[in-house]
Amino acid sequence: MTDEKDVYAAVADPTRRQLLDLLAEVDELPLYELTSRFDMGRTAVSKHLAILKEAGLVDSRKVGRETRYRLNAKPLKEIQDWVSFYEKFWMDRLSRLQILLEEQKMTADVILDFTYSSTVAEVWNALTDSDMLAQWIWDNNFKAEEGYQFRFQSEPNEYWDGIVTGEVLVVDEPNQLAYTWASAGETTTITWTLTKVAEGTQLHFEQTGFSEETKATPGAIAGATYAWTEFGNKLASLLA
């Protein structure tokens, strides 16, 4: 395969993209005719064509003393296939989130609202910066990157190993952050929504997806509510 970096660099320039568009409409064109379509000299157009040729996007042949050029679209198709692979990757993740939300019927098991005098940007940083998170939740390796798998570590006890793992689902800076939250065989979804208000920032918290067994366990949802309320209060102290 042609070097992808070369192809990306070649098509990054608008003049070279226009050359490709012109060649895509015909079998081939001579240099003088291509030059006539631009407000630049023959030498400058030749340099652009040389870059496209080096990237494998253009072929040339001599006809008498004139050089004629034609499009070779194969490298573009290879790049399209490469991009399509990652497009499917992200579509799969969005589909997983959609299914998760539908299964949970969009009904949050824990809903909390906090108001902080800090700016939205400051609150967002506290939600996404690993060092900041360690100060109001637990030690972690969190990164605000969709698809990133992270880990939080609390003090273990006789009932729990203290480990929470998750995967970042949505990063809409600085408006919304969502990720899975898995521990002790239970996987839920955490969603933070930030809104600018007169007092500073309103932070809306939702935790969804608790199993029916957990919901039926006395004190389970109340315990989660208490824990996240305490985290939110620690965040307030940190921001202050």
Side-chain angles (χ1 to χ4, degrees):
M1 176 179 173
T2 304
D3 191 329
E4 291 168 2
K5 293 182 179 178
D6 291 342
V7 176
Y8 283 128
V11 301
D13 184 90
T15 298
R16 293 195 284 274
R17 291 198 299 271
Q18 189 175 347
L19 281 167
L20 292 175
D21 289 341
L22 290 170
L23 292 172
E25 297 174 356
V26 296
D27 287 336
E28 62 180 19
L29 283 174
L31 178 59
Y32 76 85
E33 190 168 339
L34 287 169
T35 301
S36 68
R37 309 291 182 91
F38 296 91
D39 187 21
M40 64 179 68
R42 184 185 182 100
T43 301
V45 173
S46 295
K47 288 181 179 179
H48 283 296
L49 287 166
I51 293 172
L52 291 171
K53 187 175 180 180
E54 184 178 355
L57 292 165
V58 165
D59 294 326
S60 66
R61 69 185 183 99
K62 283 283 190 178
V63 180
R65 292 192 300 176
E66 184 60 73
T67 303
R68 302 179 70 88
Y69 294 87
R70 67 169 58 207
L71 175 68
N72 176 23
K74 184 179 178 181
L76 292 175
K77 176 63 167 61
E78 292 173 340
I79 293 299
Q80 180 187 29
D81 292 343
W82 184 82
V83 171
S84 295
F85 171 81
Y86 285 98
E87 181 180 27
K88 181 179 183 301
F89 172 81
W90 290 117
M91 289 302 295
D92 287 346
R93 291 193 178 278
L94 290 174
S95 295
R96 284 171 56 194
L97 175 59
Q98 183 64 31
I99 291 171
L100 198 60
L101 293 174
E102 288 177 357
E103 288 178 347
Q104 295 162 4
K105 299 180 180 179
M106 302 297 288
T107 301
D109 299 307
V110 179
I111 299 176
L112 297 168
D113 283 290
F114 306 94
T115 301
Y116 303 113
S117 59
S118 304
T119 66
V120 170
E122 289 170 336
V123 177
W124 176 267
N125 184 59
L127 290 176
T128 57
D129 180 79
S130 178
D131 291 336
M132 291 284 284
L133 284 165
Q135 296 181 61
W136 64 279
I137 300 185
W138 301 311
D139 290 338
N140 65 93
N141 65 339
F142 188 87
K143 290 183 181 179
E145 299 174 2
E146 291 180 357
Y148 182 79
Q149 297 182 352
F150 60 85
R151 173 187 174 113
F152 278 79
Q153 177 69 64
S154 177
E155 287 292 330
N157 56 46
E158 59 181 310
Y159 306 106
W160 179 47
D161 61 8
I163 297 173
V164 174
T165 60
E167 180 177 344
V168 180
L169 301 175
V170 176
V171 179
D172 178 18
E173 183 177 357
N175 306 303
Q176 191 172 73
L177 177 69
Y179 45 79
T180 59
W181 187 263
S183 180
E186 185 84 283
T187 300
T188 58
T189 299
I190 302 294
T191 303
W192 301 96
T193 304
L194 296 79
T195 305
K196 181 179 179 180
V197 294
E199 298 90 340
T201 302
Q202 181 184 52
L203 182 61
H204 180 74
F205 170 89
E206 293 186 1
Q207 186 172 17
T208 58
F210 281 104
S211 66
E212 293 303 318
E213 181 181 356
T214 297
K215 291 178 183 180
T217 302
I221 301 300
T225 301
Y226 174 80
W228 285 107
T229 299
E230 287 297 294
F231 286 144
N233 292 337
K234 289 176 68 175
L235 175 58
S237 299
L238 177 63
L239 290 170

